Amino acid sequence: MPCTGRVAIIHLMKALEKGADGVFVAGCLEGDCHYQAGNLRARKRVAYVQELLKSIGMEPERVAMYNLSAGQGPRFAEICREMTERVRQLGPNPTRKNGERKEKAA
Amino acid sequence: MDTKKDGPLGSVMVVGGGIAGIQAALDLANTGYYVYMVEKSPAIGGVMSQLDKTFPTNDCAMCIISPKLVELGRHLNVKLLTVSEVEGIEGQAGRFTVTVKQRARYVDMEKCIACGLCAEKCPKKVDNEYNQGMSQRKAIYVKYPQAVPLKYSIDEANCIYLEKGKCRACEKLCPAGAVDFSQKDRTHNIEVGAVILSPGFQTCDAKSLVELYGHNPNVVTSLEFERLLSATGPTQGHLVRPSDHKEPKKIAWLQCVGSRDQHRKGAHSYCSGVCCMYAIKEAMVAKEHCQDPLDTAVFYMDMRTYGKDFEKYYNRARDEQGVRFIRSRVYNVEAVSGSDDLLIQYASEAGEQAENHPEIIVHQEQFDMVVLSVGVETQPETVELAKKLGVKLTEHNFAETGPFTPVSTSRPGIYVCGLFQGPKDIPFSVMEASAAACAAEIDLAPARGTQVKTRSVPPEQEISDQEPRIGVFVCNCGINIASVVDVKAVMAYAATLPNVVYSQEYLFTCSQDTQEKVKQTILEHKLNRVVVAACSPRTHEPLFQETMKDCGLNKYLFEMANIRDQDSWVHQKEPGPATDKAKDLVRMAVARAGLLKPLTEKPLVINQRALVVGGGVAGMNAALGLARQGFEAVIVEREPRLGGMSRHVSQTLEGLDVQEYVDKLTQEVKDAGIEVLVGSRLAGLSGYKGNFLSTVDTGNGTHKEITHGAVVVATGAREYKPREFGYGESDRVLTQLDLDRLIMEHPERVSKWQRVIMIQCVGSRNKDNPNCSKICCQGAVKHALRLKKMNPEIDVIVLFRDMRMYGVLEDHYTLARKEGVLFVRYDEKDQPEVTLGGSGIEIAFNDLVLGRRVSLGADAIVLGAATLAEDNEQLATMLKVPRNAEGFFIEAHAKLRPVDFASEGIYLCGTAHGPKPISESVAQAMAAAARAAAFLSNKEMTVGGVVAQVEPSLCAACLVCVRNCPYGVPRIDPEKGVSEINEALCQGCGTCVSECPAKAIRLGHYQDDQIMIKVDALLEGVV
């Protein structure tokens, strides 16, 4: 992606449809967008997708927007851990039938 | 070819292939000059190539220099002469004949394929100087794995055959027949118009400075330590101490070894300018390298973190990373008997300890390793070179230059940059290199373009009817990737993926010889898409794209998988999963590559005029640098006359008259035909690089429109108006600029003063403004010396936190102390107290050496007030360029692009970039002019590529794109009634594409299918 401004609603939804348990968008810090405001647009789209998920009975927390700079490696790792932990709590994506079965067996 | 007999030649010789020489050569070659680069070793790269990471961004040095090495190595207009040295010079500026001696390499560069068989079998082991003698190489060798040119060479002094007449093992084994013992030294007589000297430096001889060095392996120099940290170093980047190969627990850095030392043999009185920052960097990087917590301590006199954002780096090291900083004088380092440890004995600054033990302020502490922060000095060969060229040296053996002519040597037509000009860091070396290029370009302007060759790229292949044939090249990146990821397994996996017809792995995919191999492979296997699994496209994509073009492939048919930064570096301890992740990333990249389409770029004419915003010393020099090369320049200055902040400064630290200089510059600007709009400001800017349209408000409600191709930002900075120490309440409390004015206007008042107290860091290095303002220490020393000159009896006391008289400025600090100026340190948390009374001023402060409170009366208090950014918000918004938290503009790259903005066509110089003295502003302005000239001299540029395109039949003219574009580019074509996006203005962010409800807009290279197939590939088999 050249910018999170290019992240479209369809990209997030498709990822979930294909079985991702969670999707997060990592944009530049607010106010620091290389393209001025792409990250702000992305945030709105993420919020829209969360609403869509709610309306189809899926947990909106499966998608998230984060902001950080390219120099914040440790923060990125922290976000990955945070997101992984959140998704683990939520359990597998319902579209992933195999995963669900596996989880139940375990 | 230039035929006029007395006109200048359009070629330049650059002597020394370190980062400064490389930058100068690239700027010249990209502006229309033919460059001969003379490098005495077998490969370019200099000391920067030996560094592990670089401050203040902690970028990997090799990763950022490597693309430059390759660009230079393959540049059509650079002739690289390695193992060569300048012997002599004849002629004069414009037309020199330089004699260059090229030693025999004993390897035919055309034939050598750098396979390394020769070195494997060579029986002679030699200390490897690239690793500072901490590992061994063979007598036939390459300097380092990413060397340019990557060709072996035989070290004459160590080759058994050349010494004793027997062996020739390499010759027998070389599969390419490249070893050639019949080679002889050759002498070239090369005609050039100008010469740029960038011979670099060596570190001070630690042996003569620290007794234990050379006897105890755990005492190492800072450069040796860099090699210990480096992945290509003797320990492959595993930080172990040399004596027992165990991971150290405690490391000490000793600052100023060989610097700021007037006594010891082999030491220099100047400050080396870079050691504080590299010690901080090494301490932070060392901590990252160790499994267990590592204790790091830096023993220093003054912490000199004076550069842009350096103070923040220092604060981060101390407050977040726990690096200990100990202000002290180390007087002994000794081995601890019965162990490999070292004992450091030092005297701290007095203070609380002294109260209890007035006689002892001596401490000692044990460490596993000691790093000597060795200073820099000119090499003896360079002193010889200067003699041969007739270039005068200073007492410190640096090339003699003037504050207003920072890159001109004593001999016209010969310029200097980098460490030979004086101690400095990489960004300033790079900047000075561009400045030296500018100086040479001015001399040779009539001959620009007369000696250059033009590149012929094969016509682009039509591939739209072909099935994808993908080649995958997986990089080991030395051990950066290979030590974690199973590269061979990734390569084998890639071969199983759809459409992949070829896969291979390389040690360094970015190296010049590998690129040649990639080219051959592309042609041989008829590849029409290429995937490189290596590092970041941010640094390396352009390089690989050039290779694509050389093979007649559109550069957008290329894709990278970042298996280093995003994989091997972050999963160092999990090689198995890291290899799986590398496979995932490669699978995603291959999937996307199959859908990539060629994109076309169109040529656009560049307007050759430049607009310079700000008419101070920087702005005027930038404009002159361009005008003297034949590019029109227009200066827009807010004030009613030119000169900016320098109009408030009477002389430089060296004692040169600033007003005389500014008057001269102003006249030169006039003489050069530069249009000057004073009392004016930039009110509007539209257009794009190469074709801007500016509206200048020229006062009284009048506006002028200017078309131009480039912009130079030189808007300067301002002095902080202190809120501290009673400033504004008494005319006895002044800033340094106020004092300058008073000395000029009322010297009689000043010469009556008995005591002046200066307070440093007012408004700098605090919570509100964490930056060091760089110039206030110099200002204090300059004025202290002036006051002493006016009245030798005067008491001048400078209250400081760290005296930051970097480089050769240290001389002036030394002189001030000799003249009796008192320098007393205070602590940030214990500020001096100023009391304004009816009769005079009282100032109280804690003397940290005496360990008690001192109260003194003074005739005047002079505040070293901070240098703050101008309010540039409007300008930044207009130009769409970023500023840091303190309001200074942010350059494209802190290390290697110090005067560029990320968007081409806009350049930066002077104090708008950060606080700096006049001499540095002059150099930076010339650098900005050189960079702008390189862009403007192209005459045309290409647009298109990654831009948004509207499909008119789908567009409903709903205005969503018009409203959402951050740059206001889309507009509804009134005739067609659909949205239209100008490809020269589109920045390619894709926001409109994602917002368009009709999906009528497409972003080249980032189409929905090209994005989603990566997700599909990632999640393959999940559902």
Side-chain angles (χ1 to χ4, degrees), chain B residues 960-987:
Chain B
V960 164
C961 54
V962 177
R963 291 195 188 106
N964 277 295
C965 175
Y967 302 95
V969 177
R971 52 177 214 109
I972 304 300
D973 184 317
E975 278 166 32
K976 297 180 196 141
V978 292
S979 169
E980 194 184 60
I981 295 174
N982 182 335
E983 58 187 351
L985 291 173
C986 176
Q987 304 286 315

PDB file of all heavy atoms in Angstrom, chain B residues 960-987:
ATOM      1  N   VAL B 960     -17.106  12.902  -4.770  1.00  0.00           N
ATOM      2  CA  VAL B 960     -16.443  12.275  -3.622  1.00  0.00           C
ATOM      3  C   VAL B 960     -14.915  12.394  -3.755  1.00  0.00           C
ATOM      4  O   VAL B 960     -14.221  12.752  -2.806  1.00  0.00           O
ATOM      5  CB  VAL B 960     -16.868  10.801  -3.459  1.00  0.00           C
ATOM      6  CG1 VAL B 960     -15.921  10.050  -2.534  1.00  0.00           C
ATOM      7  CG2 VAL B 960     -18.285  10.734  -2.899  1.00  0.00           C
ATOM      8  N   CYS B 961     -14.385  12.155  -4.936  1.00  0.00           N
ATOM      9  CA  CYS B 961     -12.929  12.249  -5.132  1.00  0.00           C
ATOM     10  C   CYS B 961     -12.465  13.697  -4.979  1.00  0.00           C
ATOM     11  O   CYS B 961     -11.443  13.979  -4.354  1.00  0.00           O
ATOM     12  CB  CYS B 961     -12.520  11.704  -6.494  1.00  0.00           C
ATOM     13  SG  CYS B 961     -13.391  12.457  -7.877  1.00  0.00           S
ATOM     14  N   VAL B 962     -13.260  14.615  -5.505  1.00  0.00           N
ATOM     15  CA  VAL B 962     -12.910  16.037  -5.423  1.00  0.00           C
ATOM     16  C   VAL B 962     -12.793  16.453  -3.965  1.00  0.00           C
ATOM     17  O   VAL B 962     -11.880  17.168  -3.565  1.00  0.00           O
ATOM     18  CB  VAL B 962     -13.957  16.902  -6.165  1.00  0.00           C
ATOM     19  CG1 VAL B 962     -13.649  18.382  -6.016  1.00  0.00           C
ATOM     20  CG2 VAL B 962     -14.009  16.510  -7.635  1.00  0.00           C
ATOM     21  N   ARG B 963     -13.737  15.978  -3.144  1.00  0.00           N
ATOM     22  CA  ARG B 963     -13.747  16.378  -1.729  1.00  0.00           C
ATOM     23  C   ARG B 963     -12.687  15.658  -0.916  1.00  0.00           C
ATOM     24  O   ARG B 963     -12.219  16.171   0.083  1.00  0.00           O
ATOM     25  CB  ARG B 963     -15.116  16.067  -1.121  1.00  0.00           C
ATOM     26  CG  ARG B 963     -16.194  16.965  -1.680  1.00  0.00           C
ATOM     27  CD  ARG B 963     -17.452  16.905  -0.814  1.00  0.00           C
ATOM     28  NE  ARG B 963     -18.527  17.626  -1.484  1.00  0.00           N
ATOM     29  CZ  ARG B 963     -19.554  17.024  -2.083  1.00  0.00           C
ATOM     30  NH1 ARG B 963     -19.673  15.714  -2.067  1.00  0.00           N
ATOM     31  NH2 ARG B 963     -20.478  17.750  -2.679  1.00  0.00           N
ATOM     32  N   ASN B 964     -12.333  14.459  -1.312  1.00  0.00           N
ATOM     33  CA  ASN B 964     -11.446  13.668  -0.461  1.00  0.00           C
ATOM     34  C   ASN B 964      -9.967  13.767  -0.795  1.00  0.00           C
ATOM     35  O   ASN B 964      -9.127  13.396   0.020  1.00  0.00           O
ATOM     36  CB  ASN B 964     -11.859  12.199  -0.502  1.00  0.00           C
ATOM     37  CG  ASN B 964     -12.985  11.938   0.471  1.00  0.00           C
ATOM     38  OD1 ASN B 964     -12.801  12.073   1.678  1.00  0.00           O
ATOM     39  ND2 ASN B 964     -14.159  11.629  -0.043  1.00  0.00           N
ATOM     40  N   CYS B 965      -9.632  14.244  -1.966  1.00  0.00           N
ATOM     41  CA  CYS B 965      -8.205  14.290  -2.323  1.00  0.00           C
ATOM     42  C   CYS B 965      -7.485  15.289  -1.428  1.00  0.00           C
ATOM     43  O   CYS B 965      -7.867  16.455  -1.355  1.00  0.00           O
ATOM     44  CB  CYS B 965      -8.035  14.699  -3.794  1.00  0.00           C
ATOM     45  SG  CYS B 965      -6.294  14.916  -4.214  1.00  0.00           S
ATOM     46  N   PRO B 966      -6.447  14.842  -0.729  1.00  0.00           N
ATOM     47  CA  PRO B 966      -5.729  15.767   0.162  1.00  0.00           C
ATOM     48  C   PRO B 966      -5.017  16.876  -0.615  1.00  0.00           C
ATOM     49  O   PRO B 966      -4.590  17.855  -0.037  1.00  0.00           O
ATOM     50  CB  PRO B 966      -4.721  14.874   0.881  1.00  0.00           C
ATOM     51  CG  PRO B 966      -4.849  13.504   0.343  1.00  0.00           C
ATOM     52  CD  PRO B 966      -5.888  13.487  -0.730  1.00  0.00           C
ATOM     53  N   TYR B 967      -4.861  16.702  -1.921  1.00  0.00           N
ATOM     54  CA  TYR B 967      -4.108  17.679  -2.709  1.00  0.00           C
ATOM     55  C   TYR B 967      -4.998  18.487  -3.651  1.00  0.00           C
ATOM     56  O   TYR B 967      -4.497  19.282  -4.441  1.00  0.00           O
ATOM     57  CB  TYR B 967      -3.025  16.959  -3.527  1.00  0.00           C
ATOM     58  CG  TYR B 967      -2.084  16.187  -2.641  1.00  0.00           C
ATOM     59  CD1 TYR B 967      -2.289  14.838  -2.389  1.00  0.00           C
ATOM     60  CD2 TYR B 967      -1.006  16.827  -2.017  1.00  0.00           C
ATOM     61  CE1 TYR B 967      -1.442  14.131  -1.539  1.00  0.00           C
ATOM     62  CE2 TYR B 967      -0.165  16.133  -1.178  1.00  0.00           C
ATOM     63  CZ  TYR B 967      -0.389  14.783  -0.947  1.00  0.00           C
ATOM     64  OH  TYR B 967       0.447  14.099  -0.115  1.00  0.00           O
ATOM     65  N   GLY B 968      -6.288  18.241  -3.589  1.00  0.00           N
ATOM     66  CA  GLY B 968      -7.205  18.995  -4.443  1.00  0.00           C
ATOM     67  C   GLY B 968      -6.952  18.799  -5.926  1.00  0.00           C
ATOM     68  O   GLY B 968      -7.082  19.736  -6.705  1.00  0.00           O
ATOM     69  N   VAL B 969      -6.589  17.603  -6.310  1.00  0.00           N
ATOM     70  CA  VAL B 969      -6.241  17.368  -7.717  1.00  0.00           C
ATOM     71  C   VAL B 969      -7.467  17.083  -8.609  1.00  0.00           C
ATOM     72  O   VAL B 969      -7.600  17.694  -9.671  1.00  0.00           O
ATOM     73  CB  VAL B 969      -5.188  16.238  -7.845  1.00  0.00           C
ATOM     74  CG1 VAL B 969      -4.879  15.952  -9.302  1.00  0.00           C
ATOM     75  CG2 VAL B 969      -3.911  16.616  -7.104  1.00  0.00           C
ATOM     76  N   PRO B 970      -8.367  16.182  -8.203  1.00  0.00           N
ATOM     77  CA  PRO B 970      -9.464  15.862  -9.131  1.00  0.00           C
ATOM     78  C   PRO B 970     -10.380  17.066  -9.358  1.00  0.00           C
ATOM     79  O   PRO B 970     -10.602  17.858  -8.448  1.00  0.00           O
ATOM     80  CB  PRO B 970     -10.247  14.745  -8.402  1.00  0.00           C
ATOM     81  CG  PRO B 970      -9.341  14.252  -7.338  1.00  0.00           C
ATOM     82  CD  PRO B 970      -8.453  15.395  -6.961  1.00  0.00           C
ATOM     83  N   ARG B 971     -10.833  17.208 -10.584  1.00  0.00           N
ATOM     84  CA  ARG B 971     -11.823  18.243 -10.867  1.00  0.00           C
ATOM     85  C   ARG B 971     -12.787  17.681 -11.912  1.00  0.00           C
ATOM     86  O   ARG B 971     -12.447  16.753 -12.645  1.00  0.00           O
ATOM     87  CB  ARG B 971     -11.169  19.533 -11.345  1.00  0.00           C
ATOM     88  CG  ARG B 971     -10.219  19.326 -12.506  1.00  0.00           C
ATOM     89  CD  ARG B 971      -9.639  20.625 -13.008  1.00  0.00           C
ATOM     90  NE  ARG B 971      -9.474  20.472 -14.467  1.00  0.00           N
ATOM     91  CZ  ARG B 971     -10.205  21.094 -15.376  1.00  0.00           C
ATOM     92  NH1 ARG B 971     -11.120  21.960 -15.025  1.00  0.00           N
ATOM     93  NH2 ARG B 971     -10.010  20.870 -16.657  1.00  0.00           N
ATOM     94  N   ILE B 972     -13.979  18.233 -11.927  1.00  0.00           N
ATOM     95  CA  ILE B 972     -14.959  17.729 -12.887  1.00  0.00           C
ATOM     96  C   ILE B 972     -14.777  18.492 -14.194  1.00  0.00           C
ATOM     97  O   ILE B 972     -14.835  19.718 -14.228  1.00  0.00           O
ATOM     98  CB  ILE B 972     -16.408  17.908 -12.359  1.00  0.00           C
ATOM     99  CG1 ILE B 972     -16.569  17.228 -10.992  1.00  0.00           C
ATOM    100  CG2 ILE B 972     -17.415  17.356 -13.374  1.00  0.00           C
ATOM    101  CD1 ILE B 972     -16.319  15.741 -10.948  1.00  0.00           C
ATOM    102  N   ASP B 973     -14.496  17.747 -15.233  1.00  0.00           N
ATOM    103  CA  ASP B 973     -14.320  18.351 -16.547  1.00  0.00           C
ATOM    104  C   ASP B 973     -15.671  18.900 -16.993  1.00  0.00           C
ATOM    105  O   ASP B 973     -16.632  18.135 -17.151  1.00  0.00           O
ATOM    106  CB  ASP B 973     -13.818  17.268 -17.519  1.00  0.00           C
ATOM    107  CG  ASP B 973     -13.517  17.841 -18.890  1.00  0.00           C
ATOM    108  OD1 ASP B 973     -14.319  18.662 -19.380  1.00  0.00           O
ATOM    109  OD2 ASP B 973     -12.473  17.470 -19.456  1.00  0.00           O
ATOM    110  N   PRO B 974     -15.788  20.212 -17.175  1.00  0.00           N
ATOM    111  CA  PRO B 974     -17.112  20.793 -17.457  1.00  0.00           C
ATOM    112  C   PRO B 974     -17.716  20.280 -18.765  1.00  0.00           C
ATOM    113  O   PRO B 974     -18.932  20.211 -18.900  1.00  0.00           O
ATOM    114  CB  PRO B 974     -16.832  22.291 -17.528  1.00  0.00           C
ATOM    115  CG  PRO B 974     -15.353  22.452 -17.659  1.00  0.00           C
ATOM    116  CD  PRO B 974     -14.718  21.206 -17.153  1.00  0.00           C
ATOM    117  N   GLU B 975     -16.870  19.921 -19.706  1.00  0.00           N
ATOM    118  CA  GLU B 975     -17.416  19.461 -20.981  1.00  0.00           C
ATOM    119  C   GLU B 975     -17.867  18.017 -20.941  1.00  0.00           C
ATOM    120  O   GLU B 975     -18.951  17.674 -21.350  1.00  0.00           O
ATOM    121  CB  GLU B 975     -16.379  19.648 -22.097  1.00  0.00           C
ATOM    122  CG  GLU B 975     -16.386  21.074 -22.625  1.00  0.00           C
ATOM    123  CD  GLU B 975     -15.172  21.372 -23.465  1.00  0.00           C
ATOM    124  OE1 GLU B 975     -14.659  20.448 -24.142  1.00  0.00           O
ATOM    125  OE2 GLU B 975     -14.732  22.542 -23.428  1.00  0.00           O
ATOM    126  N   LYS B 976     -16.983  17.163 -20.382  1.00  0.00           N
ATOM    127  CA  LYS B 976     -17.311  15.739 -20.364  1.00  0.00           C
ATOM    128  C   LYS B 976     -18.201  15.375 -19.179  1.00  0.00           C
ATOM    129  O   LYS B 976     -18.818  14.311 -19.166  1.00  0.00           O
ATOM    130  CB  LYS B 976     -16.035  14.902 -20.324  1.00  0.00           C
ATOM    131  CG  LYS B 976     -15.175  15.088 -21.571  1.00  0.00           C
ATOM    132  CD  LYS B 976     -13.922  14.234 -21.482  1.00  0.00           C
ATOM    133  CE  LYS B 976     -12.895  14.689 -22.505  1.00  0.00           C
ATOM    134  NZ  LYS B 976     -11.532  14.650 -21.992  1.00  0.00           N
ATOM    135  N   GLY B 977     -18.215  16.236 -18.162  1.00  0.00           N
ATOM    136  CA  GLY B 977     -19.049  15.968 -17.004  1.00  0.00           C
ATOM    137  C   GLY B 977     -18.552  14.812 -16.153  1.00  0.00           C
ATOM    138  O   GLY B 977     -19.317  14.169 -15.451  1.00  0.00           O
ATOM    139  N   VAL B 978     -17.283  14.521 -16.230  1.00  0.00           N
ATOM    140  CA  VAL B 978     -16.704  13.453 -15.392  1.00  0.00           C
ATOM    141  C   VAL B 978     -15.446  13.972 -14.705  1.00  0.00           C
ATOM    142  O   VAL B 978     -14.888  14.994 -15.102  1.00  0.00           O
ATOM    143  CB  VAL B 978     -16.362  12.185 -16.205  1.00  0.00           C
ATOM    144  CG1 VAL B 978     -17.608  11.496 -16.703  1.00  0.00           C
ATOM    145  CG2 VAL B 978     -15.406  12.505 -17.335  1.00  0.00           C
ATOM    146  N   SER B 979     -15.018  13.221 -13.686  1.00  0.00           N
ATOM    147  CA  SER B 979     -13.840  13.622 -12.935  1.00  0.00           C
ATOM    148  C   SER B 979     -12.585  13.448 -13.788  1.00  0.00           C
ATOM    149  O   SER B 979     -12.482  12.524 -14.596  1.00  0.00           O
ATOM    150  CB  SER B 979     -13.731  12.761 -11.678  1.00  0.00           C
ATOM    151  OG  SER B 979     -12.487  12.962 -11.076  1.00  0.00           O
ATOM    152  N   GLU B 980     -11.636  14.353 -13.550  1.00  0.00           N
ATOM    153  CA  GLU B 980     -10.386  14.303 -14.297  1.00  0.00           C
ATOM    154  C   GLU B 980      -9.242  14.447 -13.292  1.00  0.00           C
ATOM    155  O   GLU B 980      -9.299  15.311 -12.416  1.00  0.00           O
ATOM    156  CB  GLU B 980     -10.378  15.479 -15.264  1.00  0.00           C
ATOM    157  CG  GLU B 980      -9.319  15.393 -16.323  1.00  0.00           C
ATOM    158  CD  GLU B 980      -9.338  16.654 -17.178  1.00  0.00           C
ATOM    159  OE1 GLU B 980      -9.143  17.752 -16.620  1.00  0.00           O
ATOM    160  OE2 GLU B 980      -9.571  16.523 -18.381  1.00  0.00           O
ATOM    161  N   ILE B 981      -8.242  13.601 -13.386  1.00  0.00           N
ATOM    162  CA  ILE B 981      -7.111  13.662 -12.448  1.00  0.00           C
ATOM    163  C   ILE B 981      -5.823  13.890 -13.231  1.00  0.00           C
ATOM    164  O   ILE B 981      -5.443  13.065 -14.069  1.00  0.00           O
ATOM    165  CB  ILE B 981      -7.033  12.370 -11.591  1.00  0.00           C
ATOM    166  CG1 ILE B 981      -8.281  12.275 -10.696  1.00  0.00           C
ATOM    167  CG2 ILE B 981      -5.766  12.366 -10.738  1.00  0.00           C
ATOM    168  CD1 ILE B 981      -8.398  10.998  -9.909  1.00  0.00           C
ATOM    169  N   ASN B 982      -5.173  15.015 -12.965  1.00  0.00           N
ATOM    170  CA  ASN B 982      -3.915  15.351 -13.659  1.00  0.00           C
ATOM    171  C   ASN B 982      -2.795  14.458 -13.135  1.00  0.00           C
ATOM    172  O   ASN B 982      -2.458  14.478 -11.944  1.00  0.00           O
ATOM    173  CB  ASN B 982      -3.595  16.828 -13.398  1.00  0.00           C
ATOM    174  CG  ASN B 982      -2.337  17.284 -14.122  1.00  0.00           C
ATOM    175  OD1 ASN B 982      -1.452  16.473 -14.425  1.00  0.00           O
ATOM    176  ND2 ASN B 982      -2.262  18.570 -14.398  1.00  0.00           N
ATOM    177  N   GLU B 983      -2.203  13.699 -14.034  1.00  0.00           N
ATOM    178  CA  GLU B 983      -1.217  12.704 -13.574  1.00  0.00           C
ATOM    179  C   GLU B 983       0.080  13.349 -13.063  1.00  0.00           C
ATOM    180  O   GLU B 983       0.827  12.735 -12.310  1.00  0.00           O
ATOM    181  CB  GLU B 983      -0.910  11.692 -14.675  1.00  0.00           C
ATOM    182  CG  GLU B 983      -0.398  12.300 -15.953  1.00  0.00           C
ATOM    183  CD  GLU B 983      -0.275  11.269 -17.064  1.00  0.00           C
ATOM    184  OE1 GLU B 983      -0.427  10.076 -16.791  1.00  0.00           O
ATOM    185  OE2 GLU B 983      -0.028  11.692 -18.202  1.00  0.00           O
ATOM    186  N   ALA B 984       0.323  14.592 -13.441  1.00  0.00           N
ATOM    187  CA  ALA B 984       1.526  15.246 -12.944  1.00  0.00           C
ATOM    188  C   ALA B 984       1.315  15.764 -11.520  1.00  0.00           C
ATOM    189  O   ALA B 984       2.263  15.979 -10.782  1.00  0.00           O
ATOM    190  CB  ALA B 984       1.915  16.395 -13.851  1.00  0.00           C
ATOM    191  N   LEU B 985       0.062  15.971 -11.147  1.00  0.00           N
ATOM    192  CA  LEU B 985      -0.229  16.484  -9.809  1.00  0.00           C
ATOM    193  C   LEU B 985      -0.554  15.374  -8.830  1.00  0.00           C
ATOM    194  O   LEU B 985      -0.339  15.506  -7.626  1.00  0.00           O
ATOM    195  CB  LEU B 985      -1.422  17.447  -9.877  1.00  0.00           C
ATOM    196  CG  LEU B 985      -1.179  18.771 -10.595  1.00  0.00           C
ATOM    197  CD1 LEU B 985      -2.478  19.547 -10.731  1.00  0.00           C
ATOM    198  CD2 LEU B 985      -0.172  19.598  -9.816  1.00  0.00           C
ATOM    199  N   CYS B 986      -1.095  14.268  -9.336  1.00  0.00           N
ATOM    200  CA  CYS B 986      -1.507  13.173  -8.457  1.00  0.00           C
ATOM    201  C   CYS B 986      -0.288  12.629  -7.720  1.00  0.00           C
ATOM    202  O   CYS B 986       0.748  12.357  -8.314  1.00  0.00           O
ATOM    203  CB  CYS B 986      -2.159  12.066  -9.277  1.00  0.00           C
ATOM    204  SG  CYS B 986      -2.599  10.634  -8.274  1.00  0.00           S
ATOM    205  N   GLN B 987      -0.426  12.491  -6.403  1.00  0.00           N
ATOM    206  CA  GLN B 987       0.683  12.009  -5.590  1.00  0.00           C
ATOM    207  C   GLN B 987       0.649  10.493  -5.409  1.00  0.00           C
ATOM    208  O   GLN B 987       1.553   9.920  -4.833  1.00  0.00           O
ATOM    209  CB  GLN B 987       0.648  12.673  -4.202  1.00  0.00           C
ATOM    210  CG  GLN B 987       0.656  14.188  -4.239  1.00  0.00           C
ATOM    211  CD  GLN B 987       2.023  14.745  -4.593  1.00  0.00           C
ATOM    212  OE1 GLN B 987       3.035  14.301  -4.073  1.00  0.00           O
ATOM    213  NE2 GLN B 987       2.057  15.704  -5.491  1.00  0.00           N
TER     214      GLN B 987
END
